[in-house]
Structures are given as structure tokens and as C-alpha cells.
Amino acid sequence: MLQTGSLVIGIIVGIVVLAWLVRRVFGGRSGTHSRELSEAERESLDRHRDAQGREPPVELGDVREIGVQEFTRHHSGERHALGKVEGFVIFVEDVPDDVEVGDVVRVKVLSFNRGHTSATATFLERA
């Protein structure tokens, strides 16, 4: 009886692991799981892959002027401005509330994300 129970448990565990592997290999590419990517998502993914293969156009400590393209919420809840240098995304923290989309601001680059595909900067002043 104990051998039969162990065999059944082993088969169940094997099925679960196999299902996980199949989903991981065939169904989980780029976070798409079982749905198709929209054209915008596909373009964004392509730009992200391109960014991973090139050096950032900024260095730590650089002071740059960027146009604010949009605002995002950091996982901490803080409001960050988003701008770009040569297509490279820069998230700007400590942006005053009266800064709006389209404003040009001077920022200082503080850090890069893990893959060097974007940077974080701090607001210095309006340009």
C-alpha cells in the first residue's frame, strides 16, 4: 500500500514539474504567457532589447537637459518625470509639482538600472 501511494505522489509531482517546464519554455517568453503582444508592446520589447546591446549615452554624474515626456509613479509612490537622451530613458526624481509635460529640465544622472537600459537622475532646475 505504501509503494502505491508513493508511486501516485511521484507521478503527480512529475506532472506538475513537467507542466511548469512546458509553460516556462513555450508559454512564458518575455512575460507574454498565453496572449499575443500588441504592436506597441512588440515595439517596446524590441527597443528594450536594442538598449541592452548598446552603451548608455550618459555617464554617472552627467548633467543633461531633457524634455519631460510623461510622469510615472515609482514603486515607492513618488512622482517621477520621464525623459530621454538619444532614446535612452531617464527617470527624474525630486521634480517639483509645477513641472509639466513638455517642460525642459536640467538633471544629474545618479544611477543605472541593472541592465543599463535606463537611468535615474535628480532634478536640478528648469532649463
Side-chain angles (χ1 to χ4, degrees), residues 24-95:
R24 178 87 174 156
V25 171
F26 297 109
R29 287 198 179 115
S30 304
T32 61
H33 299 286
S34 61
R35 68 177 181 86
E36 285 293 315
L37 291 176
S38 71
E39 185 65 26
E41 289 170 323
R42 197 173 3 267
E43 288 175 12
S44 177
L45 183 59
D46 289 343
R47 285 191 303 270
H48 179 73
R49 286 185 183 139
D50 290 344
Q52 288 177 318
R54 70 177 180 133
E55 290 296 316
V58 297
E59 294 184 20
L60 294 180
D62 279 0
V63 174
R64 295 291 185 108
E65 290 183 4
I66 61 172
V68 176
Q69 294 184 348
E70 66 180 273
F71 289 95
T72 63
R73 288 280 172 202
H74 187 261
H75 60 81
S76 65
E78 294 177 29
R79 176 179 170 242
H80 286 188
L82 183 146
K84 294 182 180 182
V85 171
E86 298 175 26
F88 183 78
V89 175
I90 298 179
F91 295 98
V92 184
E93 53 190 30
D94 302 325
V95 179

